[in-house]
Amino acid sequence: GTPSPSASTIVAGASSIPANGTSVVVITVQLRDAEGTPILASGGTLTMATSKGTLSAVTDSANGRYIATLRSTYGVQSAAVTASLGGVALTQSATVNFVSGTPVKYLISATPSAPVAGTPLSVNAQLMDANDAPVATAGRVVTWSRSPTSGTFAAATSTTDGSGIASVSFTSDPVIATYVFTGTDNGALAGSNTIGVRTLAGVGVRY
């Protein structure tokens, strides 16, 4: 029969894969006629495209089936895979979610990275998995510490939001110093990431 763009199917071998930049999933297109019957011969040139990640070259199995592999990227997102036969788009598409793994650490950042001494800055802790993909888990309580111990946190603890981020305001002493901030939560994480932030003397600061 004649391949039908609306009846032909495109299927992913899994609905989700780790967002680690290396995991792959097989994408299969099966040509079907208007009645949904599989076509058992090559239908010509078929191409695939994806909104996220990377697709391999398409293999024509010469039996109505076309195969490619989709590789994930870093970061939680969804990939929509589409196909075209002889330049005509198939109606169906396949969705693969790139998902984060088990949280194991925090990525600590500060904004701005070089604040004026004595002014507040925001310290943030992003929950991460072993592949450095963000983990969107709310409700983890992060306890803050810093070295040296001068300066003041607005709160001793913060709770992660729906994106897995805990934030706190910190005001340094009116002196020049390099701070290392640490965030450790109430779970079974092995440790935390730290980042050094250097405060810069503002106008009129005396020593």
Side-chain angles (χ1 to χ4, degrees):
T2 302
S4 167
S6 59
S8 296
T9 56
I10 177 168
V11 177
S15 61
S16 62
I17 57 176
N20 55 15
T22 60
S23 293
V24 297
V25 62
V26 175
I27 308 295
T28 303
V29 171
Q30 175 64 63
L31 299 182
R32 299 177 183 273
D33 63 20
E35 296 181 351
T37 302
I39 292 176
L40 304 180
S42 174
T45 301
L46 182 137
T47 59
M48 296 189 199
T50 181
S51 61
K52 303 291 182 181
T54 305
L55 277 169
S56 69
V58 177
T59 298
D60 183 352
S61 301
N63 60 0
R65 184 171 294 177
Y66 297 80
I67 296 173
T69 56
L70 172 68
R71 184 182 302 274
S72 69
T73 59
Y74 288 99
V76 176
Q77 50 197 324
S78 294
V81 183
T82 56
S84 296
L85 181 65
V88 178
L90 303 189
T91 302
Q92 296 188 27
S93 62
T95 299
V96 178
N97 297 313
F98 301 158
V99 299
S100 57
T102 301
V104 298
K105 61 184 178 182
Y106 285 90
L107 178 64
I108 307 297
S109 62
T111 305
S113 60
V116 174
T119 62
L121 64 149
S122 176
V123 181
N124 310 298
Q126 170 68 66
L127 194 60
M128 308 289 282
D129 68 11
N131 299 305
D132 291 331
V135 179
T137 299
R140 285 181 175 261
V141 178
V142 175
T143 299
W144 300 101
S145 61
R146 75 279 190 189
S147 178
T149 57
S150 61
T152 305
F153 285 114
T157 62
S158 303
T159 303
T160 57
D161 59 17
S163 298
I165 300 174
S167 299
V168 68
S169 178
F170 176 80
T171 302
S172 68
D173 280 348
V175 295
I176 299 176
T178 297
Y179 286 94
V180 177
F181 298 112
T182 301
T184 305
D185 79 0
N186 58 335
L189 299 186
S192 62
N193 286 349
T194 59
I195 183 171
V197 177
R198 179 173 296 279
T199 59
L200 303 178
V203 176
V205 175
R206 294 184 178 181
Y207 301 96

